[in-house]
Amino acid sequence: MSNCPVAVTESTPRRRTRIQVFWIAPPAGTGCVILKASIVQKRIIYFQDEGSLTKKLCEQDSMFDGVTDKPILDCCACGTAKYRLTFYGNWSEKTHPKDYPRRANHWSAIIGGSHSKNYVLWEYGGYASEGVKQVAELGSPVKMEEEIRQQSDEVLTVIKAKAQWPAWQPLNVRAAPSAEFSVDRTRHLMSFLTMMGPSPDWNVGLSAEDLCTKECGWVQKVVQDLIPWDAGTDSGVTYESPNKPTIPQEKIRPLTSLDHPQSPFYDPEGGSITQVARVVIERIARKGEQCNIVPDNVDDIVADLAPEEKDEDDTPETCIYSNWSPWSACSSSTCDKGKRMRQRMLKAQLDLSVPCPDTQDFQPCMGPGCSDEDGSTCTMSEWITWSPCSISCGMGMRSRERYVKQFPEDGSVCTLPTEETEKCTVNEECSPSSCLVTEWGEWDECSATCGMGMKKRHRMVKMSPADGSMCKAETSQAEKCMMPECHTIPCLLSAWSEWSDCSVTCGKGMRTRQRMLKSLAELGDCNEELEQVEKCMLPECPVDCELTEWSQWSACNKSCGKGHMIRTRMIEMEPQFGGAPCPETVQRKKCRIRKCLKNPSIQKLRWREARESRRSDQLREESDGEQFPGCRMRPWTAWSECTKLCGGGIQERYMTVKKRFKSSQFSSCKDKKEIRACNVHPC
């Protein structure tokens, strides 16, 4: 077009299914290019800001077309370095107002690790593993941690930090989640992720962040703003979209402002998404001989001299503990060194043969004001609701409380108040003819979702007037409430119901919630969803003990008189997560062959006859089976020692051929072998 040099037009009477345009990209570093199209057909204009008629291309987008191709150089640094990762969530209703989920907004537990370039936790253009999928959709780090620990040769430290509820809080109320980890020459990369909740499968994190410098040193500090990315496993477009698995699974990619008009990050102009979090990675110590330059500052020298700390929790997986209690106050009130303590409870010990570590933990500390760091911040809980008014008639007082969730790191005493009081008035008139009533309850929701409505609040009569007259005090109040203009809302919907119970009593399930259409059909079409489904996860399902079938009954242990026979079975699966315990694995029952004779000479004669009878029976069995008549065998050897001390082993004994006949018809005489179970009791 002559009046718009950057525009191209094409008109044709023929059917056109594609248009090809050549264009020259701006110089590197210019930013993004937005391509827009308008289609005019029969005087109807299809505008460029609708759906796929707008395309935004940015320089960094090329790296997301395939697997991230970020060359990682070999590290030449010496020794090890220790870092602290601190996660600052900035996802709030103020920064991201569109459809912000006011309830249950949170960041899931942080999971990651320091690793070599041979192992990839997650990357743009790659596919999410099962562990990444469980973090992305459920916020559960269990499978991801299992996958990381399976790569023990490629991983130096597993990085873990607690979840954050709600997603944003001032730092003077609660400290930001943090974790410490180490790196060395071969494992100098760091990756982590955490889920935005609620969301379909949206996360933030870093992938393969290299902490080794080209100068053979360790990076001092990394500060990175984070935008959300899509794991490619769920196709929802809003925070609370129902579960909709992506089949086939798609590649991991960053979210953009043009993904979908219903997306909370949608921007028709194609601008960048406002960052939702910031991560700060700061070096806190270097250990071992360093091979580049002198330390950066005095603090680094002090950190080098600090004793080695455990980089990760070495508690055996068979020991189930409660969470650690907050640290106690320091035992020293001066600048002399003291101790502080925290405790936890041992809830279960799945394997009694593996010892569980102590339930108390001690840490050196000093009195208030003695620490160089600012460790004097108290972490307080939310205020607990107000108590009832102290009197039932007239003016009184009410109070509310909160408690210290975390004492200051420097051992000082918390100075923030833990209790608040204020005046309250109930039953202003206290004459014999007046009622005693409770305080007013909270206002109900407005009766209208748009325009003018009404809201109510209620209270109850505690005691009727002493003189027997009628109670004149009002027990309900109503007032007008104004909602947004109705013409701005295409349909009127009730509030969402509470989430239903999980569809299962253990493991993974689903839960639902509903809302109703309140407006009349003629007010306009309503395409809003009336039911939502989301995943829920409950504790692992119990696994019952599993056993093999019973063995055959053994021979009677006596040749005459009363004896017993036994049979056994083995444990195939030990009970887990509170499953049914294992029943007996050995059973015995009585057996009686014949009466034993009192005359010893006659008894010996009978034994000899029985022995000869058994020998003839044995020869007869051999002639009926694999072997032929006349094949003579040596007696059975003694039973070998059991192969296991417990849990089910085996014993063996042998019978070898004593004499083989030269005739070819007896050439198939074979040695015999018997096996039986032993030590079947559980370990």
Side-chain angles (χ1 to χ4, degrees), residues 273-287:
I273 292 179
T274 304
Q275 56 96 3
V276 296
R278 170 174 289 181
V279 63
V280 177
I281 303 168
E282 196 165 12
R283 194 178 79 215
I284 57 176
R286 293 191 301 189
K287 300 179 178 65

Side-chain angles (χ1 to χ4, degrees), residues 482-621:
M482 176 64 76
M483 301 299 284
E485 291 296 328
C486 287
H487 64 78
T488 63
I489 301 177
C491 55
L492 301 182
L493 297 163
S494 67
W496 284 108
S497 66
E498 293 296 324
W499 285 105
S500 67
D501 293 335
C502 201
S503 61
V504 296
T505 56
C506 61
K508 298 177 186 176
M510 306 296 293
R511 62 177 187 170
T512 60
R513 66 176 183 176
Q514 294 85 23
R515 59 182 175 181
M516 296 176 61
L517 184 64
K518 297 173 69 174
S519 59
L520 299 175
E522 56 265 20
L523 290 180
D525 294 330
C526 184
N527 298 320
E528 298 292 330
E529 57 186 358
L530 301 178
E531 184 176 22
Q532 286 186 344
V533 182
E534 75 170 13
K535 300 171 185 173
C536 51
M537 176 172 276
L538 294 175
E540 295 285 351
C541 296
V543 178
D544 296 338
C545 178
E546 293 182 11
L547 300 147
T548 61
E549 295 294 325
W550 286 106
S551 67
Q552 297 294 325
W553 286 103
S554 68
C556 196
N557 70 332
K558 296 286 183 67
S559 58
C560 67
K562 294 181 180 178
H564 66 265
M565 302 185 293
I566 66 169
R567 65 175 182 175
T568 61
R569 57 183 176 180
M570 297 174 62
I571 297 173
E572 287 187 330
M573 174 73 74
E574 294 283 353
Q576 298 181 52
F577 309 114
C582 293
E584 61 181 357
T585 55
V586 180
Q587 282 185 349
R588 50 174 81 205
K589 69 178 181 178
K590 296 177 181 178
C591 56
R592 184 171 183 144
I593 307 298
R594 63 176 183 277
K595 288 184 178 180
C596 295
L597 300 176
K598 294 181 179 179
N599 190 329
S601 60
I602 297 175
Q603 190 170 350
K604 287 181 181 178
L605 182 60
R606 290 288 175 84
W607 284 349
R608 190 178 301 115
E609 290 174 354
R611 188 164 59 249
E612 291 174 357
S613 175
R614 283 198 301 274
R615 187 176 299 153
S616 63
D617 289 345
Q618 184 179 351
L619 291 173
R620 193 159 50 249
E621 287 176 6

Side-chain angles (χ1 to χ4, degrees), residues 305-502:
L305 301 176
E308 177 70 46
E309 296 179 10
K310 288 188 291 186
D311 288 327
E312 58 183 76
D313 187 6
D314 57 1
T315 303
E317 294 182 359
T318 57
C319 301
I320 310 295
Y321 288 97
S322 66
N323 291 329
W324 284 109
S325 68
W327 285 106
S328 67
C330 192
S331 61
S332 172
S333 59
T334 66
C335 287
D336 295 330
K337 283 192 175 180
K339 284 186 177 181
R340 59 178 182 166
M341 182 189 76
R342 61 178 182 173
Q343 294 178 304
R344 60 181 177 180
M345 290 177 59
L346 180 62
K347 298 169 71 176
Q349 188 172 358
L350 304 181
D351 188 351
L352 297 178
S353 64
V354 178
C356 289
D358 295 334
T359 56
Q360 292 184 334
D361 188 19
F362 295 91
Q363 192 180 67
C365 60
M366 291 185 290
C370 299
S371 173
D372 293 335
E373 299 179 3
D374 182 16
S376 59
T377 304
C378 281
T379 302
M380 308 296 291
S381 71
E382 297 291 330
W383 286 106
I384 300 171
T385 53
W386 289 103
S387 67
C389 204
S390 60
I391 62 172
S392 57
C393 190
M395 182 175 289
M397 299 296 291
R398 64 177 183 173
S399 63
R400 63 177 182 175
E401 297 177 338
R402 61 180 176 179
Y403 59 90
V404 179
K405 292 180 69 175
Q406 180 71 55
F407 284 93
E409 294 183 1
D410 61 4
S412 60
V413 178
C414 285
T415 57
L416 295 173
T418 58
E419 185 176 6
E420 272 187 353
T421 58
E422 71 173 16
K423 295 179 181 179
C424 54
T425 302
V426 188
N427 304 305
E428 296 179 5
E429 296 182 11
C430 297
S431 63
S433 61
S434 63
C435 298
L436 294 185
V437 293
T438 63
E439 295 180 74
W440 286 108
E442 297 294 328
W443 287 103
D444 296 337
E445 291 186 1
C446 193
S447 61
T449 55
C450 69
M452 182 72 72
M454 299 295 292
K455 62 180 180 179
K456 294 182 179 180
R457 65 175 182 174
H458 306 275
R459 62 181 177 181
M460 295 183 358
V461 176
K462 293 175 66 176
M463 186 179 297
S464 299
D467 58 7
S469 60
M470 293 292 292
C471 187
K472 298 179 181 179
E474 59 179 358
T475 56
S476 64
Q477 283 184 344
E479 68 176 29
K480 296 178 181 179
C481 50
M482 176 64 76
M483 301 299 284
E485 291 296 328
C486 287
H487 64 78
T488 63
I489 301 177
C491 55
L492 301 182
L493 297 163
S494 67
W496 284 108
S497 66
E498 293 296 324
W499 285 105
S500 67
D501 293 335
C502 201

